[in-house]
Amino acid sequence: MKVGIFISGTGTNMVAVCRNFLDRKLDGVEEISFVLSDKRSAPGLEKAEAMGIKTIVLLKRKEQTREDYEAELLKAIEPYDVGLLVLAGFMKVLGNRFLEGFCGRIINIHPSLLPSFKGVNAQSQAFEYGVKVSGCTVHFVDSTLDGGPIILQQPVFRKNDDTDDTFRARILEQEHILLSKAVSIVCKGDYKICGRYVVLNQEEL
Ligand code: GAR
């Protein structure tokens, strides 16, 4: 399956997926067709270029409505004919216009154990709440915020001497592993969805 990746920033999750693909460790992925950013200054863009991956920058103009921006997004990626879109630190919420075009074919990585700590800065939300365990989640994207069916989750335990930064870094390390696993599962079609539950053909325990 051909895969496109959306980013907004550093792009370490995107790099992890691309690295695994280039090292032939991502079963089911035929090509990483592009990395698209909604920010020109996203450091991930240079990293993608250095790996030889096609990059696209598409900024939302001030006067543009979300619907118009999303129509432009769809048009920009249409020629690549990707089967899966991966949101890897893409910080825009996609609306119905976009989701209809990619129904059931978008996944997102989120740095908490959903449904806890939705939205931005989930790691700090969890840290400040004082949780013993947080982690990361890869889920299908639907029209609700961080709310689509969960594909994979990985817990990360907080240590007594963790700071917000060290906790965040250990979660990110697990994100890199989890996202690649999820991309491969979805591309191979190694799952089925029963209601909200994603049944994996090979149970991840
Ligand atoms: C990651 O921690 C990702 O889970 C988070 O943004 C970071 C991007 O880092 N995404 C969200 O919070 C989405 N709600 P990266 O650019 O280095 O991959």
Side-chain angles (χ1 to χ4, degrees), residues 9-13 88-89 91 109-111 119 123 146 172 175:
T10 329
T12 64
N13 277 290
M91 299 316 254
I109 176 100
H110 184 76
Q123 307 93 323
D146 298 326
L172 187 62
E175 289 183 44

Side-chain angles (χ1 to χ4, degrees), residues 3-63:
V3 173
I5 307 180
F6 280 13
I7 63 166
S8 295
T10 329
T12 64
N13 277 290
M14 172 277 295
V15 169
V17 171
C18 293
R19 267 275 134 257
N20 281 325
F21 169 70
L22 294 170
D23 292 345
R24 299 179 192 284
K25 289 183 190 154
L26 270 195
D27 289 352
V29 180
E30 181 189 334
E31 174 183 283
I32 307 281
S33 304
F34 62 80
V35 168
L36 180 145
S37 172
D38 63 333
K39 303 245 178 331
R40 198 182 297 287
S41 59
L45 285 168
E46 268 185 25
K47 297 175 190 169
E49 275 160 23
M51 289 184 291
I53 313 270
K54 162 88 187 161
T55 58
I56 304 169
V57 178
L58 195 63
L59 312 179
K60 181 180 171 302
R61 297 187 301 278
K62 263 200 190 121
E63 73 281 4

Side-chain angles (χ1 to χ4, degrees), residues 40-128:
R40 198 182 297 287
S41 59
L45 285 168
E46 268 185 25
K47 297 175 190 169
E49 275 160 23
M51 289 184 291
I53 313 270
K54 162 88 187 161
T55 58
I56 304 169
V57 178
L58 195 63
L59 312 179
K60 181 180 171 302
R61 297 187 301 278
K62 263 200 190 121
E63 73 281 4
Q64 210 173 20
T65 62
R66 181 161 100 173
E67 286 70 26
D68 287 347
Y69 176 68
E70 291 185 359
E72 224 180 282
L73 263 184
L74 282 171
K75 208 164 155 203
I77 65 175
E78 194 185 277
Y80 298 92
D81 197 27
V82 292
L84 177 69
L85 267 186
V86 178
L87 309 186
F90 184 68
M91 299 316 254
K92 274 195 173 54
V93 176
L94 293 166
N96 286 333
R97 171 95 190 235
F98 192 91
L99 296 177
E100 277 160 21
F102 266 91
C103 192
R105 297 190 292 136
I106 312 180
I107 65 172
N108 177 49
I109 176 100
H110 184 76
S112 75
L113 292 178
L114 290 170
S116 293
F117 308 115
K118 296 180 176 182
V120 293
N121 246 326
Q123 307 93 323
S124 301
Q125 290 184 50
F127 188 84
E128 278 159 26

Side-chain angles (χ1 to χ4, degrees), residues 126-161:
F127 188 84
E128 278 159 26
Y129 193 88
V131 297
K132 298 286 183 188
V133 57
S134 188
C136 46
T137 302
V138 182
H139 62 93
F140 285 106
V141 174
D142 65 12
S143 59
T144 60
L145 176 69
D146 298 326
I150 291 170
I151 303 163
L152 288 175
Q153 290 190 298
Q154 178 62 45
V156 174
F157 288 86
R158 177 171 168 173
K159 297 177 181 170
N160 284 344
D161 61 355

Side-chain angles (χ1 to χ4, degrees), residues 4 96 122 127 164 174 187 197:
N96 286 333
F127 188 84
D164 190 317
Q174 294 304 317
C187 284
Y197 190 68

Side-chain angles (χ1 to χ4, degrees), residues 171-188:
I171 292 171
L172 187 62
E173 217 173 277
Q174 294 304 317
E175 289 183 44
H176 296 163
I177 299 167
L178 202 71
L179 184 57
S180 290
K181 270 191 195 169
V183 167
S184 194
I185 287 169
V186 175
C187 284
K188 286 192 294 179

